[in-house]
Amino acid sequence: MPEPGSLNQALAHALSGKRILVTGHTGFKGGWLSLWLTRLGADVTGIALPIPREGPVFFHETGLEDIVDHRIADIRDPADYARAVRDLEPDLVFHLAAQALVRPSYEDPVETFATNVTGTAVVLDAARRCAHTRGVVVVTSDKCYENEEWSWPYRETDRLGGADPYSASKGCTELVAAAMRRSYFSDPDLCQIATARAGNVIGGGDWSRDRLLPDLVRATLGGTAVTIRNPASVRPWQHVLEPLAGYLILGARLLGSDAPQFAEGWNFGPSPEGFIDVEAVARAFREAWGEDAAQIAFGRRPDDPHEAGLLTLDSSKARAKLGWRARLTSAQAIAMSVAWYRAAASDEIDMRAFSEAQIAAFAGPLETLSPLYSERPAACA
């Protein structure tokens, strides 16, 4: 049961018993979201591509296949996706299925645009044909903004764009969602669409290649050194549970009587303390892991693709209108991530129970936050 006065209690009040569809539930963020939703009492169905056979996967490590209705479909294929959702009548959809990495987008831009842009159109088109669905949260990225390398954070009203295929695909995803919203979801009494833009997430169970913490963990467990490409690049680092809390609050709002006022774009980023460079994160990882952590070198190769040097988010809108706020410092987020990876490496710990314990600890009492589901929540300073 949710702890009294906690975020879990507030979310369970809104989401328990609801039928919820998560696309991309076998991924890092989708897996954590699906686990949290089942803990809240939701009936969760997930749709994703087949899981790669090689390497660890959060979905398998936590036994999500035992508690989620796991379905295989390709969101790029309207007929295949329609087959997978034919018997579903979800109250709420969280769309996370995506090609989520910058460097692979350079290697295969067509797949990146097909998955992130066409795939989103397919999911939203199916949602508009489902009379029971009341809300869709489309998860994009902080990289959806046209990055001018500004020293101030990006707000939801700033220009969309992208210099690389991945970033551009996320800007296009936002445009698809906006066009579908205006064309098919404008009736205030029917389904509403919101988009969510998060910063660089970290946390246990992320095993993707070309991501900072997974690369550090693999090198540490393998006894090798790791080279960091862009040590001075600044990002809005946050634990994965931070934006997921925002997605859940936003999804709950889309189920309410005042849903139309939340059907727009939202930033979920850390406090300014979390805007730190790659080198600081890598050094904090070594400190949290201990003396057997991987040795780190810094340097770029001439053929490394372009990546932005500075990117931060302004989340004041989510604080003021959703009552959401970042809960962890960057040091806490890194330490929490390291604790998960060390537990998984032991091969002796129930990782679903461990992950649920981290969710429970993160979503503790809310004494300092405004009520989340009053008709008009007070601003959260």
Side-chain angles (χ1 to χ4, degrees), residues 61 205 207 221 338-349 351 354:
E61 291 176 297
W207 298 105
L221 297 178
V338 166
W340 195 99
Y341 284 116
R342 291 187 73 98
S346 73
D347 292 326
E348 298 176 355
I349 295 176
M351 292 311 297
F354 190 92

Short mmCIF file of all heavy atoms in Angstrom, two decimals, residues 61 205 207 221 338-349 351 354:
data_model
loop_
_atom_site.label_atom_id
_atom_site.label_comp_id
_atom_site.label_asym_id
_atom_site.label_seq_id
_atom_site.Cartn_x
_atom_site.Cartn_y
_atom_site.Cartn_z
N GLU A 61 15.63 -8.26 -15.79
CA GLU A 61 16.25 -8.25 -14.47
C GLU A 61 15.23 -8.08 -13.35
O GLU A 61 15.43 -8.58 -12.24
CB GLU A 61 17.29 -7.12 -14.39
CG GLU A 61 18.53 -7.37 -15.24
CD GLU A 61 19.48 -6.18 -15.22
OE1 GLU A 61 19.08 -5.09 -15.67
OE2 GLU A 61 20.61 -6.34 -14.73
N GLY A 205 19.78 0.01 -14.27
CA GLY A 205 19.07 -0.70 -15.33
C GLY A 205 19.22 -0.13 -16.71
O GLY A 205 18.71 -0.69 -17.68
N TRP A 207 21.38 0.07 -19.71
CA TRP A 207 22.53 -0.63 -20.28
C TRP A 207 22.81 -0.20 -21.72
O TRP A 207 23.52 -0.89 -22.45
CB TRP A 207 22.29 -2.14 -20.24
CG TRP A 207 22.14 -2.68 -18.85
CD1 TRP A 207 20.99 -3.07 -18.24
CD2 TRP A 207 23.18 -2.88 -17.88
NE1 TRP A 207 21.23 -3.51 -16.96
CE2 TRP A 207 22.57 -3.40 -16.71
CE3 TRP A 207 24.56 -2.67 -17.88
CZ2 TRP A 207 23.29 -3.72 -15.56
CZ3 TRP A 207 25.28 -2.99 -16.74
CH2 TRP A 207 24.65 -3.50 -15.60
N LEU A 221 32.89 -3.16 -14.22
CA LEU A 221 32.65 -4.59 -14.03
C LEU A 221 33.59 -5.43 -14.88
O LEU A 221 33.92 -6.56 -14.52
CB LEU A 221 31.20 -4.92 -14.38
CG LEU A 221 30.14 -4.27 -13.49
CD1 LEU A 221 28.73 -4.64 -13.97
CD2 LEU A 221 30.33 -4.66 -12.03
N VAL A 338 24.34 4.01 -8.65
CA VAL A 338 25.44 3.09 -8.34
C VAL A 338 24.95 1.96 -7.43
O VAL A 338 25.31 0.79 -7.61
CB VAL A 338 26.61 3.86 -7.70
CG1 VAL A 338 27.62 2.90 -7.07
CG2 VAL A 338 27.30 4.73 -8.74
N ALA A 339 24.11 2.30 -6.45
CA ALA A 339 23.60 1.26 -5.54
C ALA A 339 22.84 0.20 -6.32
O ALA A 339 22.96 -1.01 -6.03
CB ALA A 339 22.69 1.91 -4.49
N TRP A 340 22.07 0.61 -7.33
CA TRP A 340 21.32 -0.37 -8.14
C TRP A 340 22.27 -1.26 -8.92
O TRP A 340 22.12 -2.49 -8.92
CB TRP A 340 20.38 0.37 -9.09
CG TRP A 340 19.32 -0.51 -9.69
CD1 TRP A 340 18.02 -0.62 -9.30
CD2 TRP A 340 19.48 -1.42 -10.80
NE1 TRP A 340 17.37 -1.55 -10.08
CE2 TRP A 340 18.23 -2.04 -11.01
CE3 TRP A 340 20.55 -1.76 -11.62
CZ2 TRP A 340 18.02 -2.99 -12.01
CZ3 TRP A 340 20.35 -2.70 -12.62
CH2 TRP A 340 19.11 -3.30 -12.81
N TYR A 341 23.25 -0.67 -9.59
CA TYR A 341 24.17 -1.46 -10.41
C TYR A 341 24.98 -2.42 -9.55
O TYR A 341 25.22 -3.58 -9.95
CB TYR A 341 25.11 -0.54 -11.18
CG TYR A 341 24.48 0.14 -12.38
CD1 TYR A 341 24.34 1.53 -12.42
CD2 TYR A 341 24.04 -0.60 -13.47
CE1 TYR A 341 23.77 2.16 -13.52
CE2 TYR A 341 23.48 0.03 -14.58
CZ TYR A 341 23.34 1.41 -14.59
OH TYR A 341 22.78 2.02 -15.68
N ARG A 342 25.39 -1.99 -8.38
CA ARG A 342 26.16 -2.87 -7.50
C ARG A 342 25.29 -4.03 -7.02
O ARG A 342 25.74 -5.17 -6.92
CB ARG A 342 26.73 -2.09 -6.32
CG ARG A 342 27.83 -1.10 -6.70
CD ARG A 342 28.47 -0.49 -5.46
NE ARG A 342 29.32 -1.46 -4.79
CZ ARG A 342 30.65 -1.54 -4.93
NH1 ARG A 342 31.27 -0.69 -5.74
NH2 ARG A 342 31.34 -2.43 -4.28
N ALA A 343 24.02 -3.75 -6.72
CA ALA A 343 23.11 -4.81 -6.30
C ALA A 343 22.90 -5.82 -7.42
O ALA A 343 22.92 -7.03 -7.20
CB ALA A 343 21.78 -4.21 -5.87
N ALA A 344 22.72 -5.32 -8.65
CA ALA A 344 22.51 -6.21 -9.80
C ALA A 344 23.74 -7.08 -10.06
O ALA A 344 23.63 -8.24 -10.46
CB ALA A 344 22.17 -5.40 -11.04
N ALA A 345 24.93 -6.52 -9.83
CA ALA A 345 26.17 -7.25 -10.08
C ALA A 345 26.38 -8.38 -9.08
O ALA A 345 27.14 -9.31 -9.34
CB ALA A 345 27.36 -6.30 -10.05
N SER A 346 25.70 -8.32 -7.93
CA SER A 346 25.91 -9.34 -6.91
C SER A 346 25.27 -10.68 -7.26
O SER A 346 25.65 -11.72 -6.72
CB SER A 346 25.34 -8.86 -5.57
OG SER A 346 23.92 -8.90 -5.59
N ASP A 347 24.25 -10.66 -8.13
CA ASP A 347 23.51 -11.87 -8.52
C ASP A 347 22.82 -12.55 -7.35
O ASP A 347 22.42 -13.72 -7.45
CB ASP A 347 24.44 -12.89 -9.21
CG ASP A 347 24.92 -12.41 -10.57
OD1 ASP A 347 24.14 -11.73 -11.25
OD2 ASP A 347 26.07 -12.71 -10.93
N GLU A 348 22.66 -11.86 -6.23
CA GLU A 348 22.04 -12.46 -5.05
C GLU A 348 20.83 -11.67 -4.56
O GLU A 348 20.23 -12.02 -3.55
CB GLU A 348 23.06 -12.56 -3.92
CG GLU A 348 24.26 -13.45 -4.26
CD GLU A 348 25.30 -13.45 -3.15
OE1 GLU A 348 25.11 -12.68 -2.18
OE2 GLU A 348 26.27 -14.21 -3.25
N ILE A 349 20.46 -10.61 -5.27
CA ILE A 349 19.42 -9.70 -4.80
C ILE A 349 18.25 -9.72 -5.76
O ILE A 349 18.42 -9.75 -6.99
CB ILE A 349 19.98 -8.27 -4.66
CG1 ILE A 349 21.05 -8.24 -3.56
CG2 ILE A 349 18.88 -7.26 -4.35
CD1 ILE A 349 21.74 -6.91 -3.40
N MET A 351 15.99 -8.04 -7.83
CA MET A 351 16.09 -6.69 -8.37
C MET A 351 14.73 -6.03 -8.56
O MET A 351 14.66 -4.80 -8.60
CB MET A 351 16.88 -6.69 -9.68
CG MET A 351 18.35 -7.01 -9.49
SD MET A 351 19.15 -6.04 -8.16
CE MET A 351 18.98 -4.36 -8.77
N PHE A 354 14.28 -4.69 -5.08
CA PHE A 354 15.23 -3.60 -4.85
C PHE A 354 14.76 -2.34 -5.58
O PHE A 354 14.80 -1.24 -5.03
CB PHE A 354 16.61 -4.02 -5.35
CG PHE A 354 17.71 -3.07 -4.97
CD1 PHE A 354 18.44 -3.25 -3.80
CD2 PHE A 354 18.03 -1.98 -5.77
CE1 PHE A 354 19.45 -2.37 -3.44
CE2 PHE A 354 19.03 -1.10 -5.43
CZ PHE A 354 19.75 -1.30 -4.25
#
